[in-house]
Amino acid sequence: MKFFKFFSLNLLVLLTALSCSEKIEPIATTDILDTTLAYEEQDIVYGDDENQTFDLYLPADRTLNTKVIILIHGGGWSDGDKAEMDAIKDLLIQDFPDVAIANMNYRLADSNNKPYPMQTNDISTVIRYLKTNETKLSISDQLGFIGASAGGHLALLWAYSFDTLQKTNMVCSIVGPTNLTDPNFITAAEENSELDVFLTLFGEDPTDEYLEEASPLHQVTANAPATILFYGGQDPLIPISQGADLNEKLSKLSVTHEYTLYPEAGHGWTGLEFVDTWIKLKAFTIENL
């Protein structure tokens, strides 16, 4: 999916107009880290697959109350890389100096490996790693998620269906699929070969039960974390109903949430719409994380 060719570029442009964030030094994870310094570690391995790695960024002066935001990239469940989220990571470091960040890769789906539950399992593994190393890293178990496109779908699904301990405080989906059984989604796939390929990853003839299990819309409950959604009215991949239907269900369940539809935007946007997204996401994160 092409979202971050637009989104990351504009984040990088915005970053050039902002002051540089504090220099971060590499860390050694064998000992409890000096909490007075900001640290980072690249490509932490959490599994045997080459894509099972994540980057970790820790703020200076952190404590065991420091919350963690997990970033999940897009790519139609079968492509993409955590580097696509680096621009968002840089903005978070600058605007949220008290928050830790985990920017993760996950196993990519193919004809032999379905996205679900493989990729939500990878999210669970990263979270277990963070939990196991809380004392060493000086972080809490309180979480937030930001995901784009397929990453938005995975962020919502994990937060709604897998967070049994309710440690997620907020989740953001930017053009993420929400309902794999949506007739509008099926119609869009018939008209767009790229989307059809992505949906086929869930199986040639998947059952409704399986698709509902893999759909945030069908898994969300009144206990869901605060949710913020961004969608484009001209998106060739994600029908308007994907965001609108989840927005309606969140309202019925009285879940704290915000929903923004940019009528003229596609699967990604620039200019004033881009600035608006960051302003709203920043304010929502401050309020709910």
Side-chain angles (χ1 to χ4, degrees), residues 60-72:
D61 301 318
R62 64 195 174 278
T63 71
L64 291 175
N65 293 319
T66 295
K67 297 171 183 177
V68 182
I69 292 180
I70 297 177
L71 305 180
I72 308 180

Side-chain angles (χ1 to χ4, degrees), residues 11 15 18-25 38-42 55-60 67 69 71 85-103 146 278 282 285 289:
L11 279 166
L15 280 168
L18 301 172
S19 60
C20 295
S21 57
E22 181 181 356
K23 180 176 174 59
I24 297 176
E25 299 295 340
Y39 296 103
E40 75 174 50
E41 185 174 2
Q42 304 288 322
D55 302 336
L56 182 63
Y57 304 86
L58 304 175
K67 297 171 183 177
I69 292 180
L71 305 180
M85 303 294 284
D86 277 349
I88 290 182
K89 174 264 297 181
D90 290 339
L91 279 176
L92 287 170
I93 289 174
Q94 182 167 272
D95 290 349
F96 294 90
D98 298 325
V99 172
I101 302 162
N103 186 12
I146 301 174
W278 181 248
K282 179 180 176 180
T285 303
L289 181 63

Side-chain angles (χ1 to χ4, degrees), residues 20 25 44 51 93 95 97 99 101 138 173-174 183 187 241 247 253:
C20 295
E25 299 295 340
I44 299 171
N51 289 305
I93 289 174
D95 290 349
V99 172
I101 302 162
S138 296
S173 170
I174 305 171
T187 299
S241 56
N247 174 56
L253 293 170

Side-chain angles (χ1 to χ4, degrees), residues 134-151:
E134 277 178 6
T135 301
K136 179 195 303 183
L137 302 174
S138 296
I139 57 175
S140 76
D141 58 3
Q142 299 298 300
L143 303 172
F145 286 92
I146 301 174
S149 198

Side-chain angles (χ1 to χ4, degrees), residues 263-278:
E264 302 304 319
H267 201 64
W269 39 81
T270 61
L272 293 177
E273 291 162 336
F274 160 77
V275 175
D276 182 71
T277 296
W278 181 248

Side-chain angles (χ1 to χ4, degrees), residues 3-13 83-87:
F3 177 76
F4 273 97
K5 292 185 178 179
F6 300 98
F7 197 69
S8 294
L9 174 62
N10 284 274
L11 279 166
L12 289 170
V13 170
E84 297 168 4
M85 303 294 284
D86 277 349

Side-chain angles (χ1 to χ4, degrees), residues 21 60 106-107 134 154 165 212 223 231-232 255 263 280:
S21 57
Y106 48 85
R107 286 172 291 175
E134 277 178 6
L154 294 171
L165 298 179
E212 289 179 359
N223 294 322
Y231 290 87
V255 173
K280 289 178 177 176

